[in-house]
Amino acid sequence: MATNKSFFNRILRIKFLSVFFVLFSLANTLHAEYFSLDQFSFTMDIPEGYELKDFNPETNSFFFETRLMPVKLALKIYSAEETKLSAKDQLADTMAQLKANYNAEEISWYKRPCALAYYSFVMPDQKEYTGWALSVQVPLAANPKEKANMIFLTYADSQIAKDCEQFMISIIDSVFFCKEDFRRPGPFTCFAYPKTKDEQIVINIADRVLSSKIDADAIDRSNFVLEREYAVLTLYAKHKSWKEAWQRFYRLIFKESYSALDALSEDMYKNLLPLAQRNNFENPEMELIQTILDWVQDFGYRRDKGGTDFTSVTASVQGVGSDCDSRSMLMCILMEHMGIKSELFVSREYSHSVFGLAVKHNGALINVDGTDYVLGETTAKVNFGLIAQEHSDTNKWIAVDLP
């Protein structure tokens, strides 16, 4: 086993480049494909195309494969009756069973004991595989005092594993154990970018200067996730599930970015709501929406067609130029923080993005699962509810549900 320093150096390189009954369910909706384990309130938002190839009820083991990438995924559950080991020791035990060479690091992911490992092992056919593993200790949904260990193993042929790392790490980062996990970074990102000091951020909005704070490394962290998920997205350019891949891409960007704007959203609401109430006593909510939209519409315009073509919201609020999807994502995040249900809409035919809010207001709207979302345009200086006539075909918009 290599030293922790060696393991950390690898993270830096990546930044730059009883058997008890388990209920397994595959939930298909209009917006997403999720794998869930109800006993743990557990969900995986893994890349499109994975299928459950095998389930062993005696060992509580699940095996997934996809035809798109030569990356395998295995999930092993150790019940409380089976083991009393910590998450790190459980991972070590699993590595020992595989006779694997590995580097591991113990981490805390929102107070959950976890361990990450980069490992390689040899199959019975003598082929070597390399990948990333995550061990998490979680409470049972029915009895939170009773805990179990879950091991996630992603791996590919060692000869091509380096080219598959972004894909494997995306899987590791796509696990959720509670509602809050859908709106905060995954375990790998939290390890690669632990919480640091805050730095001041100053914005000019509604003829006033507003001071707030943001993580000092917020932009670097956002770009780390953005570049990784864009690399995954590009694999689906000609795949039948390209729409679902787009939806997952934006969901994971939302997941990473949401908590980064906690303080800014709160400060904006606290400072702008009194102004909205004075200017529009009968409908201060609509006044607040329009005030923030006016601010976003004044952002500098920028596209990076040679890269991800997306400016992180943490960068755009600090003055970096942005385009329609970055701004629409920002509006969704700010509105969700302020208690307004939001939806992101993207269109390949229009090469455009808008946001939608579940509010009562006259204007262009799209109905998603029975809810009307009034649309907002972020790249033209127009009022909320107005979009270009040539973008009015609702069948050409893809709804991205933001959980």
Side-chain angles (χ1 to χ4, degrees):
M1 178 175 174
T3 64
N4 290 343
K5 182 177 180 181
S6 297
F7 181 73
F8 184 72
N9 286 340
R10 179 157 193 88
I11 297 293
L12 291 178
R13 290 198 297 274
I14 289 173
K15 287 182 183 180
F16 296 109
L17 291 165
S18 161
V19 176
F20 62 97
F21 177 70
V22 176
L23 177 61
F24 177 82
S25 65
L26 168 60
N28 289 295
T29 71
L30 291 175
H31 308 298
E33 179 177 273
Y34 296 111
F35 292 98
S36 301
L37 291 170
D38 293 346
Q39 276 78 354
F40 309 97
S41 300
F42 162 70
T43 300
M44 286 189 298
D45 189 2
I46 59 179
E48 295 299 319
Y50 268 95
E51 297 178 354
L52 178 65
K53 290 297 185 180
D54 190 24
F55 167 54
N56 187 332
E58 295 184 356
T59 61
N60 292 313
S61 301
F62 303 81
F63 298 91
F64 303 85
E65 291 183 356
T66 177
R67 295 180 180 180
L68 182 67
M69 285 287 285
V71 175
K72 302 180 187 298
L73 167 63
L75 169 60
K76 175 75 170 70
I77 302 170
Y78 296 88
S79 70
E81 291 78 16
E82 288 180 290
T83 180
K84 300 295 183 181
L85 297 178
S86 67
K88 185 177 181 180
D89 289 342
Q90 192 72 74
L91 183 59
D93 181 70
T94 300
M95 294 292 109
Q97 294 180 44
L98 293 173
K99 298 180 180 179
N101 294 315
Y102 70 100
N103 307 318
E105 186 74 18
E106 191 169 23
I107 65 173
S108 178
W109 178 46
Y110 302 110
K111 299 182 179 180
R112 300 186 189 102
C114 302
L116 280 169
Y118 181 74
Y119 69 106
S120 61
F121 68 103
V122 177
M123 285 285 201
D125 62 2
Q126 299 306 304
K127 180 180 288 187
E128 184 183 65
Y129 288 84
T130 299
W132 285 93
L134 170 70
S135 176
V136 187
Q137 189 173 90
V138 294
L140 297 180
N143 182 10
K145 292 183 179 180
E146 186 175 354
K147 302 183 185 299
N149 285 327
M150 301 180 71
I151 305 288
F152 303 84
L153 301 170
T154 64
Y155 53 96
D157 187 318
S158 293
Q159 294 184 0
I160 58 172
K162 185 176 181 180
D163 295 329
C164 300
E165 278 193 315
Q166 299 280 47
F167 200 84
M168 289 189 281
I169 295 170
S170 179
I171 294 173
I172 294 293
D173 249 7
S174 70
V175 299
F176 311 86
F177 289 96
C178 64
K179 182 179 179 180
E180 290 75 18
D181 285 348
F182 284 89
R183 299 188 171 198
R184 56 193 185 189
F188 196 101
T189 300
C190 286
F191 173 66
Y193 288 90
K195 175 68 178 177
T196 59
K197 64 179 181 179
D198 292 328
E199 64 181 16
Q200 186 183 37
I201 176 175
V202 177
I203 66 172
N204 294 286
I205 183 170
D207 296 324
R208 59 180 59 193
V209 177
L210 192 155
S211 179
S212 188
K213 61 184 180 180
I214 196 169
D215 287 351
D217 63 354
I219 294 178
D220 289 340
R221 188 186 76 182
S222 293
N223 287 338
F224 171 71
V225 174
L226 175 60
E227 291 168 7
R228 181 190 75 207
E229 294 308 324
Y230 184 76
V232 173
L233 176 63
T234 56
L235 298 172
Y236 292 84
K238 297 182 179 180
H239 192 272
K240 65 179 181 179
S241 297
W242 66 268
K243 290 183 180 180
E244 291 79 6
W246 270 30
Q247 290 169 327
R248 180 181 183 271
F249 170 76
Y250 286 112
R251 282 197 307 272
L252 292 188
I253 298 305
F254 175 84
K255 167 182 166 65
E256 185 279 326
S257 304
Y258 185 88
S259 61
L261 299 186
D262 283 351
L264 177 61
S265 299
E266 181 180 354
D267 290 333
M268 290 180 72
Y269 186 77
K270 180 174 61 178
N271 284 273
L272 297 178
L273 182 61
L275 177 64
Q277 291 170 332
R278 289 196 300 270
N279 292 341
N280 190 341
F281 179 77
E282 293 184 353
N283 196 347
E285 180 182 70
M286 195 53 55
E287 184 72 19
L288 179 65
I289 292 170
Q290 188 62 54
T291 297
I292 297 175
L293 178 58
D294 288 342
W295 171 64
V296 171
Q297 288 172 342
D298 285 335
F299 285 2
Y301 184 81
R302 173 181 177 268
R303 290 192 66 177
D304 177 20
K305 294 184 178 181
T308 63
D309 201 18
F310 187 98
T311 302
S312 70
V313 297
T314 53
S316 63
V317 298
Q318 298 184 69
V320 179
S322 57
D323 190 21
C324 55
D325 52 353
S326 303
R327 300 182 190 189
S328 295
M329 175 67 76
L330 174 60
M331 285 298 300
C332 286
I333 291 173
L334 294 175
M335 293 299 103
E336 284 283 340
H337 269 97
M338 297 177 189
I340 301 173
K341 176 59 182 171
S342 308
E343 195 90 353
L344 181 70
F345 296 94
V346 294
S347 172
R348 184 163 72 171
E349 288 84 355
Y350 297 144
S351 295
H352 198 47
S353 176
V354 296
F355 69 97
L357 303 180
V359 295
K360 292 184 179 180
H361 186 68
N362 293 329
L365 59 85
I366 296 178
N367 185 280
V368 180
D369 297 339
T371 299
D372 287 335
Y373 291 90
V374 181
L375 304 182
E377 167 64 61
T378 61
T379 57
K381 200 66 176 175
V382 297
N383 288 336
F384 175 65
L386 298 178
I387 64 170
Q389 181 65 34
E390 59 267 26
H391 295 163
S392 60
D393 187 347
T394 59
N395 293 320
K396 294 181 179 179
W397 289 102
I398 301 169
V400 181
D401 188 36
L402 304 174

